[in-house]
Amino acid sequence: MNDIAHNLAQVRDKISAAATRCGRASEEVTLLAVSKTKPASAVADAVAAGQRAFGENYVQEGVDKIRHFQETGVAGLEWHFIGPLQSNKSRLVAEHFDWCHTVDRLRIASRLSEQRPATLAPLNILIQINISDEASKSGIALSELDALAAQVAELPGVRLRGLMAIPAPVSDYERQFAVARQMAVAFDALKARYPTVDTLSLGMSDDMDAAIAAGSTMVRIGTAIFGARDYTKNKEN
């Protein structure tokens, strides 16, 4: 077993344990392997270990990997764009990715809808919430959610699937859980109104347990799977 396969097994065990502690089934939580800055060979190791869903923060880097696996005949992978999305990069996301987690304004959602090829299924969309109200973070306030969700739900080329957030880092579990519950309450309310909504993308390595206990359905894990990152190699965004 190589390092990535070993790391994936450990992360899956942690997800399973966290789910069991709060009375949930591990199958309710999807593991999104965040492969940004990592080479296609590392993704291939994860694929060989059974991982199918991958998250990318940089548009062109992600597109290059998607094309690589298409050209090598690897089917059944799911690609999620999880980084800040600039308008001039929306077409690449619309044409290549399966999901976009970072929609925080109607203009971007509209562009993704218009640019999604008719030959592909609608692009799965998550609305990003700035749950900790950080000036440095993208996302909307919870008070703006109802209006944006109603607009996104009407767009033909995208499908509203739920919410995503990146809470401010805190080490205290109770504080992590309190923030995660805010997201879960908003998610449950959204799910009650839109039948396509089923995904709460919340939780990374340091707050995964609290996120799962609160109701997250997708956790985004990178370094614990692929190792430390070298950000000097990618200056794209």
Side-chain angles (χ1 to χ4, degrees), residues 58 231-237:
Y58 306 109
Y231 285 102
T232 63
K233 294 179 180 177
N234 197 316
K235 306 290 187 181
E236 181 184 337
N237 284 348

Side-chain angles (χ1 to χ4, degrees), residues 28 30-32 52-59 62-63 66 76-85 89-103 108 112 116 120-128 157-164 187 196-202 217-220:
E28 295 176 34
T30 297
L31 170 58
L32 185 64
R52 291 294 177 267
F54 295 92
E56 291 285 334
N57 283 58
Y58 306 109
V59 177
V63 169
I66 293 168
L77 302 186
E78 193 175 83
W79 295 93
H80 297 239
F81 184 73
I82 61 173
L85 181 55
K89 299 288 180 69
S90 63
R91 182 175 295 278
L92 284 171
V93 171
E95 291 180 346
H96 293 90
F97 284 83
D98 302 296
W99 290 69
C100 181
H101 287 221
T102 50
V103 170
I108 283 290
L112 291 170
R116 184 68 168 175
L120 298 178
L123 180 69
N124 296 299
I125 291 291
L126 299 180
I127 293 175
Q128 183 174 355
V158 300
R159 180 177 287 123
L160 178 62
R161 294 292 296 271
L163 304 177
M164 183 273 255
F187 169 63
T196 58
V197 169
D198 59 5
T199 301
L200 176 57
S201 173
L202 180 69
T217 71
M218 181 178 290
V219 293
R220 309 180 303 269

Side-chain angles (χ1 to χ4, degrees), residues 14-164:
K14 288 178 181 177
I15 291 171
S16 180
T20 299
R21 280 194 295 272
C22 60
R24 298 180 66 193
S26 59
E27 294 78 20
E28 295 176 34
V29 185
T30 297
L31 170 58
L32 185 64
V34 180
S35 45
K36 64 178 181 180
T37 79
K38 295 300 179 179
S41 58
V43 176
D45 285 345
V47 171
Q51 181 64 24
R52 291 294 177 267
F54 295 92
E56 291 285 334
N57 283 58
Y58 306 109
V59 177
Q60 191 58 58
E61 179 193 341
V63 169
D64 289 346
K65 289 176 191 168
I66 293 168
R67 286 175 173 157
H68 168 81
F69 286 99
Q70 287 173 340
E71 289 165 3
T72 54
V74 178
L77 302 186
E78 193 175 83
W79 295 93
H80 297 239
F81 184 73
I82 61 173
L85 181 55
Q86 302 162 357
S87 294
N88 64 342
K89 299 288 180 69
S90 63
R91 182 175 295 278
L92 284 171
V93 171
E95 291 180 346
H96 293 90
F97 284 83
D98 302 296
W99 290 69
C100 181
H101 287 221
T102 50
V103 170
D104 61 0
R105 54 199 187 279
L106 179 60
R107 180 172 178 233
I108 283 290
S110 298
R111 287 176 68 90
L112 291 170
S113 176
E114 292 163 5
Q115 295 166 342
R116 184 68 168 175
T119 53
L120 298 178
L123 180 69
N124 296 299
I125 291 291
L126 299 180
I127 293 175
Q128 183 174 355
I129 304 296
N130 188 345
I131 193 62
S132 302
D133 194 26
E134 294 177 275
S136 62
K137 292 264 178 73
S138 302
I140 61 170
L142 278 175
S143 59
E144 301 173 71
L145 174 58
D146 287 351
L148 182 56
Q151 293 169 320
V152 171
E154 294 297 317
L155 298 172
V158 300
R159 180 177 287 123
L160 178 62
R161 294 292 296 271
L163 304 177
M164 183 273 255

Side-chain angles (χ1 to χ4, degrees), residues 3-26:
D3 287 347
I4 289 175
H6 174 73
N7 294 344
L8 266 171
Q10 286 194 317
V11 170
R12 288 174 183 143
D13 285 346
K14 288 178 181 177
I15 291 171
S16 180
T20 299
R21 280 194 295 272
C22 60
R24 298 180 66 193
S26 59

